[in-house]
């Protein structure tokens, strides 16, 4: 099965398991930038690691620090392999752009409606550079 996602920030092809969150998250205070673990005590996926996953975000809870947390995740090697977003979050995407400007390997970001993300939970996905998502 294949899906097509809109490319928000392009990148190389990625293959990784999908962590599809069931609730929006704030990266600031919600994700430990040193470990990649979800630390928000109220989040349904608390304790899950976003490191190396295709992270499907049904939404984000705004924080102007989200880009800094994502930048720290990239620097620590704990960033997602790719990010699927229901709607673009300019602050979070800024973290990817800054990481690349610093010469670090940062994940691509794509737009996929939240209602399509949950079917991907726990599946291994391959994302092409052109935005095709293959469910393995």
């Amino acid at each position: 099965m294949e899906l097509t996602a809109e490319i928000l920030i392009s990148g190389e092809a990625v293959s990784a398991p999908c962590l599809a969150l069931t609730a929006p998250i704030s990266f600031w205070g919600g994700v430990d930038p040193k470990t990649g673990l979800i630390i928000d005590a109220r989040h349904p996926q608390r304790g899950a690691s976003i490191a190396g996953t295709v992270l499907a975000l049904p939404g984000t809870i705004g924080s102007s620090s989200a880009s800094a947390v994502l930048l720290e995740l990239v620097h620590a090697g704990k960033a997602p392999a790719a990010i699927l977003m229901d709607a673009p979050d300019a602050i979070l995407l800024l973290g990817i752009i800054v990481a690349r400007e610093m010469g670090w390997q940062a994940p691509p970001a794509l737009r996929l409606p939240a209602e399509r993300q949950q079917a991907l939970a726990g599946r291994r996905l391959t994302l092409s550079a052109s935005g095709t998502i293959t469910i393995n």
Side-chain angles (χ1 to χ4, degrees):
M1 181 175 152
E2 288 187 350
L3 301 169
T4 301
E6 176 187 352
I7 297 171
L8 299 172
I9 297 179
S10 64
E12 296 179 10
V14 169
S15 182
C18 180
L19 175 61
L21 301 185
T22 57
I25 193 165
S26 171
F27 275 66
W28 187 85
V31 178
D32 182 338
K34 293 179 183 169
T35 65
L37 295 175
I38 295 174
I39 57 173
D40 181 343
R42 297 168 293 170
H43 198 278
Q45 279 80 38
R46 179 180 183 216
S49 175
I50 68 169
T53 67
V54 174
L55 180 62
L57 296 170
T60 54
I61 300 170
S63 169
S64 58
S65 298
S67 56
V69 173
L70 186 55
L71 190 61
E72 288 183 61
L73 286 162
V74 169
H75 186 256
K78 300 298 182 184
I83 299 174
L84 299 177
M85 306 180 84
D86 179 61
D89 178 327
I91 300 294
L92 187 61
L93 295 174
L94 181 61
I96 295 172
I97 294 167
V98 171
R100 289 185 179 179
E101 286 295 317
M102 297 179 78
W104 299 339
Q105 181 76 28
L110 300 97
R111 184 176 191 176
L112 187 71
E115 62 269 13
R116 302 192 82 179
Q117 294 177 4
Q118 284 305 307
L120 306 177
R123 309 287 298 269
R124 186 159 190 89
L125 307 178
T126 300
L127 283 61
S128 75
S130 63
T132 300
I133 300 171
T134 304
I135 303 168
N136 300 311

